[in-house]
Amino acid sequence: QVQLVESGGGLVQAGGSLRLSCAASGRTFSAFSMGWFRQAPGKEREFVAGISWSDGRTYYADSVKGRFTVSRDNALITVYLQKDSLKAGDTAVYYCASNRMVRGVLRAPRFYDSWGQGTQVTVSL
């Protein structure tokens, strides 16, 4: 069983930067990919970015492409989300998740079987 813990959220001004971390733990770790999702009040959870664990290939939602960067640290079993040029629309609870069900980086939340508790990111005007 994989346990995920997000950290790094907080309050930041528009145009600023923030780096989120997601640390995984368990007896063993095995996943096809890790994903970052976000959910704002009254909205559905949406895919933000993902990374293939085996080769590090990354994928991004159009709304964050060019501003967010996802990376991984194999030794620490940690994934990161570097967020630059933040906008008010980026305000949400951010979740990391692991996909051990389907090969590849997938956008739909239903493909991810383990989730962290989320970390709040608030972007001020």
Side-chain angles (χ1 to χ4, degrees):
Q1 192 79 304
V2 176
Q3 296 178 340
L4 304 174
V5 179
E6 303 98 336
S7 62
L11 176 65
V12 62
Q13 289 184 321
S17 299
L18 208 60
R19 190 193 193 198
L20 305 183
S21 299
C22 175
S25 63
R27 186 175 65 179
T28 59
F29 177 79
S30 179
F32 292 122
S33 62
M34 299 288 289
W36 284 99
F37 295 79
R38 67 186 181 187
Q39 187 168 23
K43 296 184 178 180
E44 295 184 350
R45 189 168 299 185
E46 64 174 342
F47 173 82
V48 175
I51 184 168
S52 171
W53 195 256
S54 60
D55 60 13
R57 184 163 297 185
T58 58
Y59 303 85
Y60 300 93
D62 290 340
S63 60
V64 305
K65 191 174 183 179
R67 300 188 297 117
F68 291 8
T69 303
V70 62
S71 61
R72 78 198 197 288
D73 187 317
N74 291 334
L76 297 177
I77 317 178
T78 302
V79 294
Y80 306 95
L81 185 65
Q82 178 67 42
K83 313 200 302 183
D84 300 319
S85 301
L86 284 163
K87 305 175 180 179
D90 296 320
T91 295
V93 177
Y94 284 74
Y95 301 88
C96 67
S98 66
N99 159 36
R100 301 192 297 170
M101 302 174 67
V102 182
R103 193 178 304 277
V105 178
L106 301 152
R107 271 70 171 175
R110 68 179 183 272
F111 295 114
Y112 293 81
D113 56 337
S114 296
W115 293 82
Q117 293 300 305
T119 183
Q120 175 71 47
V121 173
T122 302
V123 182
S124 63
L125 299 175

